[in-house]
Amino acid sequence: MARPVAFDQKKVINSVVKLFWEHGYEATSMKNISDATGLQPGSLYSAFGNKRRLFLTAIDTYFEESMAGPMVLLSGAGTPLQRIHALFRYVVNDTCRTGSNGCLLVNALLETPADDTELRKRIAKMFLELELAIKDVLSEAAACGELAPGKDPGLQAKLLVNNIYGLRVYSKLQPKSPVMTDMIEDLIASLKK
């Protein structure tokens, strides 16, 4: 009886995330995945299911890892709006860094058909997690008088999430644009008016 192949699952998933991030779902074949991971297709199918399951696992892994920095910033030091500002500076720096492939979530949304409800629901849930974290910070800002009167923290959180991912799309057209820094300064100022 053949022994099951032993491998480091986290290392394999990280390789798969990198492939999908660099090439997208359609342009990444199981052969590419097999070559990158050193695993035979049969071992990959046995461990992870099909290419689609691997892609969804890659999306989940990417989100968990990419949210670590923003969540630290949102719960870190400073006033609530200083923390929101720090989050946006982080987004711009991350988006404009050398070798950036953009945001895997945005790339996946732009690549996949509109009727891919499973992927869209999954990513919408991820966006909502960030939105709720931002809403909590904006509620703090409202409570301490830092958020402009009349600004609803829930609506502003939706707008800020839209701006975060909008900046990531914008960077595909204008990589490393200094205008992005101006945009975030204006955005943060609008919360204080």
Side-chain angles (χ1 to χ4, degrees), residues 8-19:
D8 181 342
Q9 189 167 352
K10 184 168 176 52
K11 185 176 177 185
V12 168
I13 292 299
N14 286 339
S15 295
V16 172
V17 167
K18 187 172 188 248
L19 276 176

Side-chain angles (χ1 to χ4, degrees), residues 19 34 92 117 132:
L19 276 176
S34 179
V92 168
T117 55
L132 293 175

